[in-house]
Amino acid sequence: MVIAISMQKLATQWTGLADSYYLAALPYLEAVVKKADISTLQCYCLIAQYSTVTPTRTASYWVVGLAARLCQELGLTDAATIKQSPSGVRYNALEIDMRRRLHWIVTSMEYGLAHSLGRPNAFGTTVDHLNVDFYELVDDRYITREGVLPGGQPIMKKCISIHFFKMRLLQAEIRRKLYLRKRPTPVDDQDPWFAEILGKVDHWVASCPKNDEGSGFSQEWFFGRKNTIIVMLYRPSPQIPEPSTQAAHLCYDASIFNIASQRKQIATGVVDITWIFTQSLFMALNTLLWSLSYPSVRQEHPIEEVTRHVQLAMEAIELSAERWPGVHSAVQLYQNLITGCLKAYHSESSFVVHSPSNKTSPASTQDMATPPSLSSPSIHSAVSITSAPDSQHLSVDQKLPRSSSMGSSPSGTERGSSPLFGHFVGSDYSTTTNPASISPMNRAPAKRMPMTTQQNGFSSQPSANHHRDNITQLQFDPTSALNTIPSTIPGFQHWDPSVTSGTTVAPQAAFSTPIDDQRFWMGSFGDEYSRYLQQPFHDTPLTRGLSQQQQSELMANLESTPLPDVSRLINESKTFYTVGLP
Amino acid sequence: MRRLQRELGSIAREDHYLPDAELLIRGGGHIKFGENDESRFLGPSSGIAITRLVMELAKQNTDTKSIKEIVPETTAQEIKHKFDLESAKPTSKAYPEISDVAAPELPSLDLIEKLVDIYCAKGTCQFMPTVDPFLD
């Protein structure tokens, strides 16, 4: 695995070769998993690390999840249990240090996935519960079974990694405050909490390791991470869905810095083009475009200036596509989106999306003849576009009562199986069978995410009034197995019972039957792409692999190719980190 | 008459769909990449909301009756074409990015050492699952 990961850090021509070593490692996996000990965790970490640098066939989300579970089993997740086994035997210093390392690596990976996917972390606890100390900062040769030898200085890569883990804590804190359930405060970015968290972020940046020793994790890199945190703080969030104008400006500034910085990083090759890197590029571009909703941002930054930043971002994205081929299709989508967004400059209006002050919907539920999950094009129905193109046309300014989000039809289901379980229904789910029954008022544009059960995990819920209307209008037939289940439950405003977590896969199957999980990170635009174009998001399929002959050819080439000289990076560093350590 | 016209105008505006920030941003999403793909859930911190908002902005400014006009048929075909091109790439000069075969043996010791050095130098700043002595 180390060989595979390392090869992935070389030029892209060796990617297939790296993959052959990854495949070579996999047969050992079952035996390693059975051991269910520290070495298992190490392997999980390596597999997960491999998947950050290349599209893989591993269900990395599941691997990290398993690692999280194993951490808990092994007692790594709590200070009380990290130093001794369940039987009370105390581990030696070397073992404890490795346990701490693995705890932090797995926690960081799991928190990272939770952040990028917007899912809860597998540990099920908040950042408040993290009480395990960091590992030793000195070089490994000073860490022995008997203890840490004196005289060792903190080494840079350990300082960098620990600093990176601290970022995870900050992200988790923000996620808890702004991205979970609605809290009484903060209601806007003037809340004292913002000043508090920004103080922590600034301190974190100021105390970062100053010398990256060529690893790429420089001060600028840490500053870039600060900018992603700024964006996370000030962009629309569930807690504060309507950011202030000042917030939009801050997001703009943060995004353009990151776009330029990331473009430079690609040019100089200092960091790996991981999927996280690519996703950050998209986030920066999205944020930049979103900030143009605010007239004040448009006034301050002329279209020519914005166009330059956008072009730089697109350049960077195109370059990332060399490592992550699925990105190519997104590029095209963005060309059109950008054109659309830049047209905002033709107007002085605000395009900021607001929450209506009056939450009760103006229209009654009688208006909905068909549940919108049937009428809205979906990825399923996109496949059937050719058979009924007319019914698939979407209107931007369709008249649609806001209440149509999750209401069920007064006339019950028209399709037999529950339309509210849209995404479970296979070919049955089609908008082509009876276009006439689809009321034009329900032809919500596909991008109206809140409108479809199929495509929304937690779909938007209509007002409380509508909840009641919704329930009372259900037609319940006690003799039928096909009653619709209400999509809204009073009091659980954002819970949709038709959501499941998707297909679960047994761990054994996850390894023996490779699952194509490479695209999970592209969700946020892949999803919108599908709606936008009414067709599946075309990922470049990695169907062709290296043949035995090609593998041998590449191997022979690599043996004779000079590799990057990293000797100065791995020798024990004379530079040590002197800023006050916790 | 004018009063009726005004009323009609206000009703039309009321009926006009307005995206609701609260709902748009809080809602997660189920993503599918292909018709046989399983749904994957993405929550708010993934940034899915901002993608929706960007699309909203683009749509509001294109003044079109149909999404399809924003992405004209030709462009949609271009996208498909690009996709097809990717799939059809010749393999003679460009090696595939994944492998159908496992590597039959480890590289030479010299190469292994260099690769391990690269790993230690560049792969351990965020992850260091192994203790160096293990690699000896």
Side-chain angles (χ1 to χ4, degrees):
Chain A
M1 282 308 304
V2 169
I3 289 170
I5 293 167
S6 191
M7 282 182 182
Q8 289 288 357
K9 291 174 181 294
L10 306 174
T12 47
Q13 74 182 98
W14 310 112
T15 305
L17 192 63
D19 202 57
S20 72
Y21 279 93
Y22 168 67
L23 289 181
L26 286 184
Y28 296 95
L29 187 55
E30 195 177 328
V32 171
V33 168
K34 280 192 175 135
K35 288 171 69 185
D37 63 8
I38 293 290
S39 65
T40 317
L41 269 182
Q42 289 173 321
C43 288
Y44 285 157
C45 289
L46 287 172
I47 292 173
Q49 186 180 0
Y50 182 73
S51 73
T52 64
V53 289
T54 193
T56 66
R57 291 160 288 185
T58 316
S60 54
Y61 179 71
W62 295 94
V63 170
V64 176
L66 283 173
R69 277 281 184 265
L70 189 53
C71 273
Q72 287 172 312
E73 276 283 307
L74 297 174
L76 269 60
T77 53
D78 199 288
T81 50
I82 199 162
K83 288 184 182 170
Q84 57 191 40
S85 72
S87 55
V89 174
R90 194 183 161 88
Y91 295 108
N92 66 50
L94 193 60
E95 285 169 324
I96 290 174
D97 195 71
M98 179 51 72
R99 285 165 69 83
R100 291 192 198 286
R101 277 194 229 195
L102 286 167
H103 163 264
W104 280 104
I105 293 165
V106 175
T107 300
S108 172
M109 283 184 174
E110 180 56 30
Y111 274 48
L113 282 170
H115 180 73
S116 298
L117 299 179
R119 300 178 183 180
N121 77 67
F123 294 104
T125 52
T126 70
V127 64
D128 294 343
H129 290 81
L130 284 171
N131 64 3
V132 171
D133 291 338
F134 289 113
Y135 39 87
E136 296 295 335
L137 286 166
V138 296
D139 191 274
D140 286 349
R141 68 190 76 180
Y142 288 91
I143 307 172
T144 69
R145 289 187 169 78
E146 291 73 38
V148 180
L149 299 176
Q153 298 292 349
I155 62 167
M156 205 48 64
K157 65 184 179 198
K158 294 201 184 186
C159 298
I160 290 171
S161 58
I162 287 177
H163 212 69
F164 181 82
F165 297 152
K166 288 181 186 167
M167 180 191 77
R168 289 283 184 231
L169 305 183
L170 289 169
Q171 285 177 329
E173 200 178 325
I174 296 168
R175 212 155 55 240
R176 186 183 183 195
K177 200 71 161 180
L178 299 180
Y179 288 84
L180 294 180
R181 66 175 176 85
K182 198 83 168 181
R183 298 172 187 276
T185 62
V187 294
D188 60 33
D189 58 46
Q190 298 309 303
D191 190 286
W193 178 81
F194 273 82
E196 206 181 291
I197 193 78
L198 279 172
K200 288 185 188 177
V201 173
D202 284 337
H203 172 76
W204 175 77
V205 176
S207 57
C208 79
K210 302 295 185 287
N211 178 1
D212 73 333
E213 295 180 338
S215 66
F217 296 96
S218 60
Q219 269 188 286
E220 185 176 328
W221 186 86
F222 280 105
F223 193 76
R225 303 287 67 69
K226 172 186 165 175
N227 282 331
T228 57
I229 292 176
I230 298 265
V231 165
M232 193 193 171
L233 277 170
Y234 288 103
R235 71 184 176 188
S237 61
Q239 180 66 24
I240 303 173
E242 292 180 52
S244 65
T245 304
Q246 185 206 9
H249 279 279
L250 288 170
C251 286
Y252 178 94
D253 293 338
S255 301
I256 60 170
F257 180 95
N258 276 17
I259 287 168
S261 179
Q262 287 191 269
R263 177 67 188 90
K264 207 165 53 174
Q265 285 165 358
I266 298 174
T268 53
V270 291
V271 291
D272 297 320
I273 314 283
T274 60
W275 63 261
I276 307 131
F277 179 95
T278 312
Q279 197 191 32
S280 322
L281 270 174
F282 279 109
M283 176 52 62
L285 179 56
N286 283 344
T287 309
L288 169 61
L289 293 172
W290 161 78
S291 70
L292 300 178
S293 317
Y294 293 72
S296 160
V297 173
R298 296 199 300 274
Q299 277 154 27
E300 188 165 320
H301 304 284
I303 191 171
E304 298 80 18
E305 175 196 317
V306 169
T307 306
R308 277 197 307 274
H309 294 304
V310 160
Q311 277 166 354
L312 200 61
M314 291 305 289
E315 244 177 63
I317 289 170
E318 288 262 22
L319 288 166
S320 304
E322 287 172 22
R323 175 69 64 168
W324 300 90
V327 166
H328 277 302
S329 315
V331 167
Q332 193 79 41
L333 170 67
Y334 269 95
Q335 310 283 16
N336 295 294
L337 272 184
I338 288 161
T339 309
C341 292
L342 289 179
K343 284 189 181 156
Y345 276 91
H346 296 168
S347 156
E348 290 180 3
S349 318
S350 163
F351 298 103
V352 178
V353 175
H354 298 290
S355 290
S357 50
N358 177 10
K359 292 267 188 202
T360 55
S361 68
S364 73
T365 54
Q366 267 86 10
D367 291 330
M368 295 164 22
T370 322
S373 57
L374 281 180
S375 56
S376 295
S378 69
I379 294 174
H380 275 313
S381 64
V383 177
S384 57
I385 275 177
T386 50
S387 52
D390 291 338
S391 67
Q392 300 303 322
H393 274 293
L394 303 174
S395 286
V396 173
D397 54 359
Q398 273 296 341
K399 296 184 197 308
L400 183 72
R402 205 180 310 115
S403 61
S404 69
S405 55
M406 289 312 305
S408 62
S409 160
S411 58
T413 63
E414 291 185 344
R415 295 277 182 265
S417 46
S418 169
L420 297 173
F421 292 90
H423 73 276
F424 290 119
V425 179
S427 56
D428 195 36
Y429 185 107
S430 166
T431 62
T432 61
T433 49
N434 193 4
S437 71
I438 298 170
S439 151
M441 293 178 80
N442 293 321
R443 299 286 295 283
K447 88 154 282 283
R448 302 286 181 229
M449 293 278 298
M451 301 299 147
T452 60
T453 24
Q454 171 163 354
Q455 285 137 349
N456 247 4
F458 294 95
S459 43
S460 69
Q461 302 304 321
S463 65
N465 291 345
H466 184 62
H467 285 160
R468 288 191 285 278
D469 291 340
N470 198 5
I471 303 294
T472 54
Q473 287 187 17
L474 284 178
Q475 306 293 308
F476 178 67
D477 177 3
T479 62
S480 164
L482 300 176
N483 290 295
T484 52
I485 291 175
S487 62
T488 64
I489 294 176
F492 288 91
Q493 199 155 16
H494 299 288
W495 187 68
D496 181 347
S498 69
V499 172
T500 68
S501 57
T503 310
T504 53
V505 179
Q508 294 78 10
F511 299 131
S512 59
T513 312
I515 293 165
D516 189 356
D517 200 50
Q518 59 174 295
R519 299 162 298 180
F520 73 86
W521 59 274
M522 296 173 74
S524 61
F525 58 84
D527 165 52
E528 294 308 319
Y529 177 100
S530 304
R531 281 164 222 299
Y532 206 53
L533 293 180
Q534 303 167 56
Q535 54 185 280
F537 181 57
H538 284 304
D539 214 348
T540 307
L542 302 179
T543 51
R544 303 176 327 272
L546 280 184
S547 64
Q548 191 64 61
Q549 187 196 348
Q550 287 173 320
Q551 203 272 347
S552 311
E553 263 171 37
L554 273 173
M555 203 58 231
N557 288 344
L558 185 59
E559 292 276 1
S560 55
T561 301
L563 295 186
D565 176 21
V566 294
S567 50
R568 68 182 178 85
L569 297 177
I570 59 164
N571 291 334
E572 186 184 1
S573 172
K574 296 286 182 281
T575 319
F576 52 86
Y577 187 43
T578 54
V579 176
L581 297 169
Chain B
M1 182 66 179
R2 267 189 228 116
R3 183 175 55 83
L4 283 169
Q5 278 178 338
R6 268 199 306 271
E7 274 186 329
L8 191 65
S10 69
I11 290 168
R13 270 194 304 276
E14 248 181 75
D15 280 347
H16 181 82
Y17 174 76
L18 291 171
D20 183 335
E22 187 73 45
L23 305 175
L24 207 62
I25 289 148
R26 181 167 286 279
H30 267 138
I31 315 303
K32 262 191 211 218
F33 295 112
E35 67 189 84
N36 297 317
D37 198 15
E38 61 181 68
S39 283
R40 306 151 198 264
F41 172 75
L42 290 189
S45 72
S46 65
I48 196 169
I50 210 145
T51 318
R52 293 172 191 161
L53 290 172
V54 167
M55 303 192 97
E56 180 64 34
L57 178 64
K59 279 212 327 247
Q60 283 186 41
N61 284 288
T62 47
D63 189 29
T64 172
K65 294 272 178 282
S66 163
I67 286 181
K68 278 206 154 184
E69 286 180 35
I70 304 175
V71 182
E73 192 54 41
T74 48
T75 313
Q77 280 178 10
E78 261 173 61
I79 296 171
K80 186 154 193 326
H81 181 59
K82 257 195 187 168
F83 162 71
D84 290 337
L85 277 179
E86 280 294 320
S87 331
K89 260 190 183 156
T91 56
S92 52
K93 287 294 177 193
Y95 288 99
E97 285 159 356
I98 55 167
S99 183
D100 282 341
V101 299
E105 57 194 10
L106 288 174
S108 67
L109 201 56
D110 193 43
L111 183 56
I112 289 179
E113 278 188 24
K114 287 189 192 139
L115 289 170
V116 168
D117 284 349
I118 290 173
Y119 177 82
C120 289
K122 308 200 87 175
T124 51
C125 285
Q126 286 177 3
F127 316 98
M128 44 182 67
T130 59
V131 179
D132 284 341
F134 149 81
L135 294 169
D136 285 342

